[in-house]
Amino acid sequence: MDPHPESGLGPVLTALARSAVATSFAPRPPGAAALISTLSESTAPAAAAHAATLAKREATFVTLQRDGRLRGCIGTLTALRPLGVDVVRNARLAARDPRLPPVEESETAELQVTVTVLSPSEPLPVRAFTSLLDHLRPGQDGLTLKDRGGRRATFLPSVWASLPEPERFVAALLRKGRWPRRLWAAELRSAAWPEGLAAERYGAREFSG
């Protein structure tokens, strides 16, 4: 069930992502415009009703799962491309997520597809972990941590389902980003804030199918 007010958008986005994965095995996969056109023909008027939305620049993540196991998750934090184009791009990249074995063509029908559309990030004015933990809204905020050395890691709001406490959420994100063990393995509220570390949060609309 689509819990968001954009009635009908969820099935369009997940169908587009699923089509992007399924066609990625072709010698010359069709581009995003062709997939959107085909989708519009097969799901009209649903896709046609969201044509303007699909053309708007948005940042998305596409997550692929099979039998509850992650098969790929790739996305962008900044709105660089039209929504439809970004979904196609990220779905195909998720099917080849370098952290996992690539998705096989025989799996495509069994994949659960989730498309997450991100709101623009906002910097958090924090310079201590205690302040960061107190600013976070569990279940609502996506979080990005980055530093001047090029390290960056993000958790989508959906990660709160498995890490509901802010301390565990932030510690796991620090571990994901390969920050020093002394940070994520210690009592986080008493850990020193690393020089150059910055935090940003964002909201998200999630569609699964």
Side-chain angles (χ1 to χ4, degrees):
M1 182 177 68
D2 184 354
H4 305 284
E6 300 154 298
S7 178
L9 179 60
V12 171
L13 293 180
T14 55
L16 183 59
R18 188 176 296 278
S19 179
V21 174
T23 57
S24 67
F25 300 95
R28 297 181 64 183
L35 288 180
I36 293 170
S37 177
T38 300
L39 182 66
S40 298
E41 294 171 2
S42 63
T43 63
H50 296 288
T53 301
L54 292 173
K56 181 182 177 182
R57 287 192 179 187
E58 299 271 18
T60 72
F61 270 72
V62 176
T63 304
L64 307 177
Q65 293 179 299
R66 182 186 178 193
D67 298 329
R69 295 181 295 109
L70 182 66
R71 295 298 287 114
C73 181
I74 297 291
T76 49
L77 292 169
T78 304
L80 301 173
R81 288 168 285 272
L83 173 60
V85 175
D86 208 55
V87 168
V88 170
R89 171 192 181 273
N90 291 334
R92 286 179 171 164
L93 290 176
R96 301 292 183 270
D97 190 328
R99 301 169 297 175
L100 298 163
V103 170
E104 298 181 3
E105 189 171 6
S106 59
E107 294 182 79
T108 54
E110 300 175 29
L111 292 175
Q112 180 185 22
V113 178
T114 301
V115 177
T116 306
V117 183
L118 278 55
S119 66
S121 296
E122 61 171 350
L124 288 171
V126 297
R127 289 296 178 269
F129 284 111
T130 296
S131 181
L132 172 61
L133 296 173
D134 291 342
H135 270 78
L136 288 176
R137 299 168 294 187
Q140 183 176 344
D141 288 336
L143 178 65
T144 301
L145 297 176
K146 56 185 179 181
D147 65 19
R148 295 171 187 161
R151 275 183 291 222
R152 185 174 75 167
T154 193
F155 272 162
L156 298 174
S158 59
V159 176
W160 288 104
S162 56
L163 295 169
E165 296 85 16
E167 290 88 345
R168 291 178 58 204
F169 186 89
V170 175
L173 184 55
L174 288 165
R175 182 176 184 178
K176 177 185 178 183
R178 298 185 178 182
W179 273 276
R181 181 184 177 88
R182 60 180 171 78
L183 293 178
W184 50 263
E187 172 56 47
L188 197 55
R189 286 187 179 273
S190 61
W193 186 262
E195 184 177 355
L197 183 66
E200 297 178 347
R201 69 179 173 193
Y202 54 87
R205 295 121 63 201
E206 186 176 287
F207 307 94
S208 296

